[in-house]
CSV table of all heavy atoms in Angstrom, one decimal:
chain,number,residue,atom,x,y,z
A,14,THR,N,0.9,-1.2,0.0
A,14,THR,CA,0.0,0.0,0.0
A,14,THR,C,0.9,1.2,0.0
A,14,THR,O,1.9,1.3,0.7
A,14,THR,CB,-0.9,0.0,1.2
A,14,THR,OG1,-1.7,-1.2,1.3
A,14,THR,CG2,-1.9,1.2,1.2
A,15,ILE,N,0.5,2.2,-0.8
A,15,ILE,CA,1.3,3.5,-0.8
A,15,ILE,C,0.4,4.6,-0.3
A,15,ILE,O,-0.8,4.7,-0.7
A,15,ILE,CB,1.8,3.8,-2.3
A,15,ILE,CG1,2.7,5.0,-2.2
A,15,ILE,CG2,0.7,3.9,-3.3
A,15,ILE,CD1,3.5,5.2,-3.5
A,16,THR,N,0.9,5.4,0.6
A,16,THR,CA,0.2,6.5,1.2
A,16,THR,C,1.1,7.7,1.3
A,16,THR,O,2.3,7.6,1.0
A,16,THR,CB,-0.4,6.1,2.6
A,16,THR,OG1,0.7,5.8,3.4
A,16,THR,CG2,-1.4,5.0,2.5
A,17,ARG,N,0.5,8.8,1.7
A,17,ARG,CA,1.3,10.0,1.8
A,17,ARG,C,0.9,10.9,2.9
A,17,ARG,O,-0.3,10.8,3.4
A,17,ARG,CB,1.2,10.8,0.5
A,17,ARG,CG,-0.2,11.3,0.2
A,17,ARG,CD,-0.3,12.2,-1.0
A,17,ARG,NE,-1.7,12.7,-1.1
A,17,ARG,CZ,-2.1,13.8,-1.8
A,17,ARG,NH1,-1.1,14.5,-2.4
A,17,ARG,NH2,-3.3,14.1,-1.9
A,18,ASP,N,1.8,11.6,3.4
A,18,ASP,CA,1.6,12.7,4.4
A,18,ASP,C,1.9,14.0,3.6
A,18,ASP,O,3.0,14.4,3.5
A,18,ASP,CB,2.5,12.6,5.6
A,18,ASP,CG,2.3,13.7,6.6
A,18,ASP,OD1,1.6,14.7,6.2
A,18,ASP,OD2,2.8,13.6,7.7
A,19,SER,N,0.8,14.5,3.0
A,19,SER,CA,1.0,15.6,2.0
A,19,SER,C,1.6,16.9,2.7
A,19,SER,O,2.3,17.6,2.1
A,19,SER,CB,-0.3,16.0,1.3
A,19,SER,OG,-1.3,16.3,2.2
A,20,ALA,N,1.3,17.1,4.0
A,20,ALA,CA,1.8,18.2,4.7
A,20,ALA,C,3.3,18.2,4.8
A,20,ALA,O,4.0,19.3,4.9
A,20,ALA,CB,1.1,18.3,6.1
A,21,ASN,N,3.8,17.0,4.9
A,21,ASN,CA,5.3,16.8,5.1
A,21,ASN,C,6.0,16.3,3.9
A,21,ASN,O,7.2,15.9,4.0
A,21,ASN,CB,5.5,15.9,6.3
A,21,ASN,CG,5.1,16.6,7.6
A,21,ASN,OD1,5.4,17.7,7.9
A,21,ASN,ND2,4.3,15.8,8.4
A,22,TYR,N,5.3,16.2,2.8
A,22,TYR,CA,5.9,15.7,1.5
A,22,TYR,C,6.6,14.4,1.8
A,22,TYR,O,7.7,14.1,1.3
A,22,TYR,CB,6.9,16.7,1.0
A,22,TYR,CG,6.2,18.0,0.6
A,22,TYR,CD1,6.2,19.1,1.5
A,22,TYR,CD2,5.6,18.2,-0.6
A,22,TYR,CE1,5.6,20.3,1.2
A,22,TYR,CE2,4.9,19.4,-0.9
A,22,TYR,CZ,4.9,20.4,0.0
A,22,TYR,OH,4.3,21.6,-0.3
A,23,THR,N,5.9,13.5,2.5
A,23,THR,CA,6.5,12.2,2.8
A,23,THR,C,5.5,11.1,2.2
A,23,THR,O,4.3,11.2,2.4
A,23,THR,CB,6.7,12.0,4.3
A,23,THR,OG1,7.6,13.0,4.8
A,23,THR,CG2,7.3,10.6,4.6
A,24,VAL,N,6.1,10.1,1.6
A,24,VAL,CA,5.4,9.0,1.0
A,24,VAL,C,5.8,7.7,1.7
A,24,VAL,O,7.0,7.5,2.0
A,24,VAL,CB,5.6,8.9,-0.5
A,24,VAL,CG1,5.0,7.6,-1.1
A,24,VAL,CG2,5.0,10.1,-1.2
A,25,TYR,N,4.8,6.8,2.0
A,25,TYR,CA,5.1,5.6,2.7
A,25,TYR,C,4.7,4.4,1.8
A,25,TYR,O,3.7,4.4,1.1
A,25,TYR,CB,4.3,5.5,4.0
A,25,TYR,CG,4.6,6.6,4.9
A,25,TYR,CD1,3.7,7.7,4.9
A,25,TYR,CD2,5.7,6.6,5.8
A,25,TYR,CE1,4.0,8.8,5.8
A,25,TYR,CE2,5.9,7.7,6.6
A,25,TYR,CZ,5.1,8.8,6.6
A,25,TYR,OH,5.3,9.9,7.4
A,26,LEU,N,5.5,3.3,1.9
A,26,LEU,CA,5.2,2.1,1.2
A,26,LEU,C,5.1,1.0,2.3
A,26,LEU,O,6.1,0.6,2.9
A,26,LEU,CB,6.3,1.7,0.2
A,26,LEU,CG,6.0,0.4,-0.6
A,26,LEU,CD1,4.8,0.7,-1.6
A,26,LEU,CD2,7.2,0.0,-1.4
A,27,GLN,N,3.9,0.6,2.6
A,27,GLN,CA,3.6,-0.4,3.5
A,27,GLN,C,3.6,-1.8,2.8
A,27,GLN,O,2.8,-2.0,1.9
A,27,GLN,CB,2.2,-0.3,4.2
A,27,GLN,CG,1.8,-1.4,5.1
A,27,GLN,CD,2.7,-1.5,6.4
A,27,GLN,OE1,3.0,-0.5,7.0
A,27,GLN,NE2,3.1,-2.7,6.7
A,28,MET,N,4.5,-2.6,3.2
A,28,MET,CA,4.7,-3.9,2.5
A,28,MET,C,4.3,-5.0,3.5
A,28,MET,O,5.0,-5.2,4.5
A,28,MET,CB,6.1,-4.1,2.0
A,28,MET,CG,6.6,-2.9,1.1
A,28,MET,SD,8.3,-3.2,0.5
A,28,MET,CE,9.2,-3.1,2.0
A,29,ASN,N,3.3,-5.8,3.1
A,29,ASN,CA,2.8,-6.9,3.9
A,29,ASN,C,3.0,-8.2,3.2
A,29,ASN,O,3.2,-8.2,2.0
A,29,ASN,CB,1.4,-6.7,4.3
A,29,ASN,CG,1.1,-5.5,5.1
A,29,ASN,OD1,1.9,-5.1,5.9
A,29,ASN,ND2,-0.1,-4.9,4.9
A,30,ASN,N,3.0,-9.3,4.0
A,30,ASN,CA,3.1,-10.6,3.4
A,30,ASN,C,4.3,-10.7,2.4
A,30,ASN,O,4.2,-11.2,1.3
A,30,ASN,CB,1.8,-11.0,2.7
A,30,ASN,CG,1.7,-12.5,2.3
A,30,ASN,OD1,2.5,-13.3,3.0
A,30,ASN,ND2,0.9,-12.8,1.4
A,31,LEU,N,5.4,-10.3,2.9
A,31,LEU,CA,6.6,-10.2,2.0
A,31,LEU,C,7.1,-11.6,1.6
A,31,LEU,O,7.0,-12.6,2.4
A,31,LEU,CB,7.7,-9.4,2.7
A,31,LEU,CG,7.5,-7.9,2.7
A,31,LEU,CD1,8.4,-7.2,3.8
A,31,LEU,CD2,7.9,-7.4,1.3
A,32,GLU,N,7.6,-11.7,0.4
A,32,GLU,CA,8.1,-12.9,-0.2
A,32,GLU,C,9.6,-12.8,-0.5
A,32,GLU,O,10.1,-11.6,-0.7
A,32,GLU,CB,7.3,-13.2,-1.5
A,32,GLU,CG,5.8,-13.3,-1.3
A,32,GLU,CD,5.1,-13.2,-2.6
A,32,GLU,OE1,5.7,-13.1,-3.7
A,32,GLU,OE2,3.8,-13.4,-2.6
A,33,PRO,N,10.3,-13.9,-0.6
A,33,PRO,CA,11.7,-13.8,-1.0
A,33,PRO,C,11.9,-13.0,-2.3
A,33,PRO,O,12.9,-12.3,-2.5
A,33,PRO,CB,12.2,-15.2,-1.0
A,33,PRO,CG,11.3,-15.9,0.0
A,33,PRO,CD,10.0,-15.2,-0.1
A,34,ALA,N,11.0,-13.2,-3.2
A,34,ALA,CA,11.1,-12.5,-4.5
A,34,ALA,C,11.0,-11.0,-4.4
A,34,ALA,O,11.3,-10.3,-5.3
A,34,ALA,CB,10.0,-13.0,-5.4
A,35,ASP,N,10.6,-10.5,-3.2
A,35,ASP,CA,10.5,-9.0,-3.0
A,35,ASP,C,11.9,-8.5,-2.6
A,35,ASP,O,12.1,-7.2,-2.5
A,35,ASP,CB,9.5,-8.7,-1.9
A,35,ASP,CG,8.1,-9.0,-2.3
A,35,ASP,OD1,7.7,-8.7,-3.4
A,35,ASP,OD2,7.4,-9.6,-1.4
A,36,THR,N,12.9,-9.3,-2.4
A,36,THR,CA,14.2,-8.9,-2.0
A,36,THR,C,14.8,-8.0,-3.2
A,36,THR,O,14.9,-8.5,-4.3
A,36,THR,CB,15.1,-10.1,-1.8
A,36,THR,OG1,14.6,-10.8,-0.6
A,36,THR,CG2,16.6,-9.6,-1.5
A,37,SER,N,15.2,-6.8,-2.8
A,37,SER,CA,15.7,-5.9,-3.8
A,37,SER,C,16.2,-4.6,-3.1
A,37,SER,O,15.9,-4.4,-1.9
A,37,SER,CB,14.6,-5.4,-4.8
A,37,SER,OG,14.2,-6.3,-5.7
A,38,VAL,N,16.9,-3.8,-3.9
A,38,VAL,CA,17.1,-2.4,-3.5
A,38,VAL,C,15.9,-1.6,-3.9
A,38,VAL,O,15.5,-1.7,-5.1
A,38,VAL,CB,18.4,-1.8,-4.0
A,38,VAL,CG1,18.5,-0.4,-3.6
A,38,VAL,CG2,19.6,-2.6,-3.6
A,39,TYR,N,15.3,-0.9,-2.9
A,39,TYR,CA,14.1,-0.1,-3.2
A,39,TYR,C,14.4,1.3,-3.3
A,39,TYR,O,15.1,1.9,-2.5
A,39,TYR,CB,13.0,-0.4,-2.1
A,39,TYR,CG,12.3,-1.7,-2.3
A,39,TYR,CD1,12.9,-2.9,-2.0
A,39,TYR,CD2,11.0,-1.7,-2.7
A,39,TYR,CE1,12.3,-4.1,-2.1
A,39,TYR,CE2,10.3,-2.9,-2.9
A,39,TYR,CZ,10.9,-4.1,-2.6
A,39,TYR,OH,10.3,-5.3,-2.7
A,40,TYR,N,14.0,1.9,-4.4
A,40,TYR,CA,14.3,3.3,-4.7
A,40,TYR,C,13.0,4.2,-4.7
A,40,TYR,O,12.0,3.8,-5.2
A,40,TYR,CB,14.9,3.5,-6.1
A,40,TYR,CG,16.3,2.8,-6.2
A,40,TYR,CD1,16.3,1.5,-6.7
A,40,TYR,CD2,17.5,3.4,-5.9
A,40,TYR,CE1,17.5,0.8,-6.9
A,40,TYR,CE2,18.7,2.8,-6.1
A,40,TYR,CZ,18.7,1.5,-6.6
A,40,TYR,OH,19.9,0.8,-6.7
A,41,CYS,N,13.1,5.3,-4.1
A,41,CYS,CA,12.1,6.3,-4.2
A,41,CYS,C,12.4,7.2,-5.5
A,41,CYS,O,13.5,7.5,-5.7
A,41,CYS,CB,12.0,7.2,-3.0
A,41,CYS,SG,10.7,8.4,-3.0
A,42,ALA,N,11.3,7.5,-6.2
A,42,ALA,CA,11.5,8.3,-7.4
A,42,ALA,C,10.4,9.3,-7.5
A,42,ALA,O,9.3,9.1,-7.0
A,42,ALA,CB,11.4,7.4,-8.7
A,43,ALA,N,10.7,10.4,-8.1
A,43,ALA,CA,9.7,11.5,-8.3
A,43,ALA,C,9.8,12.1,-9.7
A,43,ALA,O,10.8,12.0,-10.3
A,43,ALA,CB,9.9,12.6,-7.3
A,44,ALA,N,8.7,12.6,-10.1
A,44,ALA,CA,8.6,13.2,-11.5
A,44,ALA,C,7.5,14.2,-11.6
A,44,ALA,O,6.5,14.1,-10.9
A,44,ALA,CB,8.4,12.1,-12.5
A,45,ARG,N,7.8,15.1,-12.5
A,45,ARG,CA,6.7,16.1,-12.8
A,45,ARG,C,6.2,15.8,-14.3
A,45,ARG,O,7.0,15.2,-15.1
A,45,ARG,CB,7.2,17.5,-12.8
A,45,ARG,CG,7.6,18.1,-11.5
A,45,ARG,CD,7.9,19.6,-11.6
A,45,ARG,NE,8.1,20.2,-10.3
A,45,ARG,CZ,9.3,20.5,-9.8
A,45,ARG,NH1,10.4,20.1,-10.4
A,45,ARG,NH2,9.4,21.1,-8.6
A,46,GLY,N,5.0,16.1,-14.5
A,46,GLY,CA,4.5,16.0,-15.9
A,46,GLY,C,4.1,14.6,-16.4
A,46,GLY,O,3.8,14.5,-17.6
A,47,ILE,N,4.1,13.6,-15.6
A,47,ILE,CA,3.7,12.3,-16.0
A,47,ILE,C,2.7,11.8,-15.0
A,47,ILE,O,2.6,12.3,-13.8
A,47,ILE,CB,4.8,11.3,-16.1
A,47,ILE,CG1,5.6,11.0,-14.8
A,47,ILE,CG2,5.8,11.7,-17.2
A,47,ILE,CD1,6.6,9.9,-14.9
A,48,THR,N,1.9,10.8,-15.4
A,48,THR,CA,0.9,10.2,-14.5
A,48,THR,C,1.5,9.0,-13.8
A,48,THR,O,2.6,8.5,-14.2
A,48,THR,CB,-0.3,9.7,-15.2
A,48,THR,OG1,0.1,8.7,-16.1
A,48,THR,CG2,-0.9,10.9,-16.0
A,49,CYS,N,0.8,8.6,-12.7
A,49,CYS,CA,1.3,7.4,-12.1
A,49,CYS,C,1.3,6.1,-13.0
A,49,CYS,O,2.2,5.3,-12.9
A,49,CYS,CB,0.5,7.1,-10.8
A,49,CYS,SG,1.1,7.9,-9.3
A,50,SER,N,0.3,6.1,-13.8
A,50,SER,CA,0.3,4.9,-14.8
A,50,SER,C,1.5,4.9,-15.6
A,50,SER,O,2.1,3.9,-15.9
A,50,SER,CB,-1.0,5.0,-15.6
A,50,SER,OG,-2.1,4.8,-14.9
A,51,THR,N,2.0,6.1,-16.1
A,51,THR,CA,3.2,6.2,-16.9
A,51,THR,C,4.4,5.8,-16.1
A,51,THR,O,5.3,5.1,-16.5
A,51,THR,CB,3.3,7.6,-17.5
A,51,THR,OG1,2.2,7.8,-18.3
A,51,THR,CG2,4.6,7.7,-18.3
A,52,MET,N,4.5,6.3,-14.8
A,52,MET,CA,5.6,6.0,-14.0
A,52,MET,C,5.8,4.5,-13.8
A,52,MET,O,6.9,4.0,-13.8
A,52,MET,CB,5.6,6.8,-12.7
A,52,MET,CG,6.7,6.4,-11.7
A,52,MET,SD,6.6,7.1,-10.1
A,52,MET,CE,7.8,8.4,-10.3
A,53,VAL,N,4.7,3.9,-13.5
A,53,VAL,CA,4.8,2.4,-13.2
A,53,VAL,C,5.2,1.6,-14.4
A,53,VAL,O,5.9,0.7,-14.4
A,53,VAL,CB,3.4,1.9,-12.6
A,53,VAL,CG1,3.4,0.4,-12.4
A,53,VAL,CG2,3.2,2.6,-11.2
A,54,ARG,N,4.7,2.1,-15.6
A,54,ARG,CA,5.0,1.4,-16.8
A,54,ARG,C,6.4,1.7,-17.3
A,54,ARG,O,7.1,0.8,-17.8
A,54,ARG,CB,4.0,1.7,-17.9
A,54,ARG,CG,2.7,1.2,-17.8
A,54,ARG,CD,1.8,1.5,-19.0
A,54,ARG,NE,2.4,0.9,-20.2
A,54,ARG,CZ,2.0,1.3,-21.4
A,54,ARG,NH1,1.1,2.3,-21.6
A,54,ARG,NH2,2.5,0.7,-22.5
A,55,PHE,N,6.8,2.9,-17.1
A,55,PHE,CA,8.2,3.4,-17.6
A,55,PHE,C,8.9,4.1,-16.4
A,55,PHE,O,9.0,5.3,-16.4
A,55,PHE,CB,8.0,4.3,-18.7
A,55,PHE,CG,7.2,3.8,-19.9
A,55,PHE,CD1,5.8,4.2,-20.1
A,55,PHE,CD2,7.7,2.8,-20.7
A,55,PHE,CE1,5.1,3.7,-21.1
A,55,PHE,CE2,6.9,2.3,-21.7
A,55,PHE,CZ,5.6,2.7,-21.9
A,56,PRO,N,9.4,3.4,-15.5
A,56,PRO,CA,10.0,4.0,-14.3
A,56,PRO,C,11.2,4.9,-14.6
A,56,PRO,O,11.5,5.8,-13.9
A,56,PRO,CB,10.4,2.8,-13.4
A,56,PRO,CG,10.4,1.6,-14.3
A,56,PRO,CD,9.4,1.9,-15.3
């Protein structure tokens, strides 16, 4: 689940039921001018 605290410009990723396949380096990314659908398709 992804949520935000807009007042503090902070975004949270709540990860439940984690699997070994979720092992990775996780990066936060930001962009202007694109939608979330575009970001997820073309990070």
Side-chain angles (χ1 to χ4, degrees):
T14 304
I15 186 168
T16 57
R17 63 175 182 160
D18 176 350
S19 55
N21 293 310
Y22 299 94
T23 302
V24 171
Y25 303 96
L26 184 67
Q27 175 67 43
M28 305 184 292
N29 298 326
N30 195 19
L31 283 160
E32 304 166 354
D35 295 315
T36 296
S37 283
V38 178
Y39 282 72
Y40 298 91
C41 181
R45 291 188 174 98
I47 63 173
T48 65
C49 271
S50 294
T51 298
M52 173 183 258
V53 171
R54 287 183 64 194
F55 306 106

